Amino acid sequence: MAGAPQSDAPSVDPGTPAGPGDRGEGNHDRGVTALAGGKVVGVAGYRLGGRALTGGDVPDVLSAYGVLRGLPRLAVLALFERTPEEAELVMDGIAVDARHRGRGIGSLLLEQVAAVAAENGCRRVRLDVIDTNPRARALYERHGYVARRTERTPYLRRLLGFGAVTTMYRPVTGADRTGGDGR
């Protein structure tokens, strides 16, 4: 946590800015970071209460890319729009530095996101995983996420590098409210 002594053991820090490259955009209270040795080694972002760690609306995208380059981006982004249902936290993404994978950092991030969901009265957490990331899917399953539907998108494989997206859900449990992992 913030202010804790630095060590190589990973810890999570809710609300820490996303690190290098962060330009002050987004909502930093909609993400958690994993720190090791005082450096950001993992980030998980989520959408809750109408706000997400990253994002922007149509004018933001068009302003950044112009009309010709912005409209195709908006069309692709619209395919993946994920608005939370009532009492639901939607995890937008999780990333762990490749040099730090296999050390439990992804698990720490998932546990912290579940705790945030519990603190905010959510009944479940939802996320999507792509077909080309079986390691992430296995991690989610170990943490109690269950696949509910798979949307096949073979027409996007060449453009985005994947051909299917699976939506997974996990209930928020009493253990999440007390700092456990909810399994």
Side-chain angles (χ1 to χ4, degrees):
M1 297 291 176
Q6 291 184 6
S7 75
D8 288 332
S11 63
V12 289
D13 188 11
T16 297
D22 177 39
R23 298 185 309 257
E25 300 155 342
N27 299 297
H28 301 302
D29 64 336
R30 293 299 189 251
V32 294
T33 56
L35 308 172
K39 297 188 186 301
V40 175
V41 296
V43 177
Y46 56 88
R47 179 177 300 275
L48 180 67
R51 297 175 35 244
L53 177 63
T54 61
D57 54 17
V58 172
D60 293 332
V61 173
L62 295 178
S63 172
Y65 294 102
V67 174
L68 289 178
R69 291 180 25 220
L71 287 176
R73 284 172 168 79
L74 287 169
V76 171
L77 289 172
L79 294 172
F80 301 105
E81 179 61 31
R82 297 179 312 256
T83 302
E85 294 181 16
E86 189 168 333
E88 178 180 74
L89 179 146
V90 174
M91 206 169 94
D92 281 331
I94 184 171
V96 175
D97 183 305
R99 296 167 296 186
H100 293 271
R101 292 182 185 151
R103 298 182 187 178
I105 293 169
S107 291
L108 285 172
L109 291 168
L110 289 174
E111 291 165 10
Q112 186 65 36
V113 168
V116 168
E119 290 169 11
N120 285 277
C122 296
R123 289 189 306 267
R124 71 179 183 184
V125 178
R126 176 172 45 127
L127 59 79
D128 293 319
V129 62
I130 58 175
D131 62 342
T132 56
N133 199 348
R135 234 178 124 179
R137 181 169 176 159
L139 172 68
Y140 303 148
E141 288 171 344
R142 284 194 307 274
H143 282 268
Y145 288 85
V146 177
R148 293 292 184 221
R149 76 173 176 276
T150 298
E151 183 178 346
R152 307 231 178 266
T153 56
Y155 50 89
L156 293 176
R157 185 170 296 280
R158 291 189 68 212
L159 177 65
L160 299 175
F162 59 88
V165 177
T166 299
T167 299
M168 303 180 80
Y169 295 96
R170 174 195 177 283
V172 174
T173 69
D176 297 320
R177 289 174 184 81
T178 60
D181 66 7
R183 286 182 281 179

